[in-house]
Amino acid sequence: MTQEKMRKIITACVAAATLLLVILLGVLIYQWIKIGVLNSRIDKIEEENAVLEETIAAGEKDAEYYESIMGKEWLAFQNGFVRPD
């Protein structure tokens, strides 16, 4: 093998290795960005979940009140019913 062929082979190997490195770094950066976006989505959904759980807890308290006799009487008075005395 001549030195000229050896030089061309080494140059091709270095170019291929450089291209591979650039592609792998690009994929790595893309994955980091994607992970960041998904983590922010997870945080947002967890916050929404906490708000919905608080709403459900408040709704359960309201449901307990309106299922009681006092709550039913209050709803009846709001809708125009009167107590027969």
Side-chain angles (χ1 to χ4, degrees), residues 17-77:
T18 304
L19 182 62
L20 179 65
L21 183 64
V22 168
I23 289 172
L24 290 176
L25 285 175
V27 169
L28 186 63
I29 290 170
Y30 172 77
Q31 290 297 320
W32 282 338
I33 292 171
K34 183 123 177 144
I35 288 170
V37 169
L38 292 176
N39 282 338
S40 67
R41 282 186 188 173
I42 289 170
D43 292 339
K44 183 179 178 184
I45 289 173
E46 285 176 350
E47 289 174 5
E48 290 176 2
N49 192 15
V51 169
L52 291 174
E53 286 177 356
E54 290 175 7
T55 304
I56 289 171
E60 287 175 354
K61 290 178 186 175
D62 290 344
E64 289 174 7
Y65 172 73
Y66 287 118
E67 288 175 355
S68 69
I69 293 177
M70 289 180 58
K72 289 177 183 176
E73 285 181 356
W74 175 253
L75 286 174
F77 291 141

Side-chain angles (χ1 to χ4, degrees), residues 7-20:
R7 182 177 288 160
K8 286 182 180 181
I9 291 172
I10 291 174
T11 303
C13 288
V14 169
T18 304
L19 182 62
L20 179 65

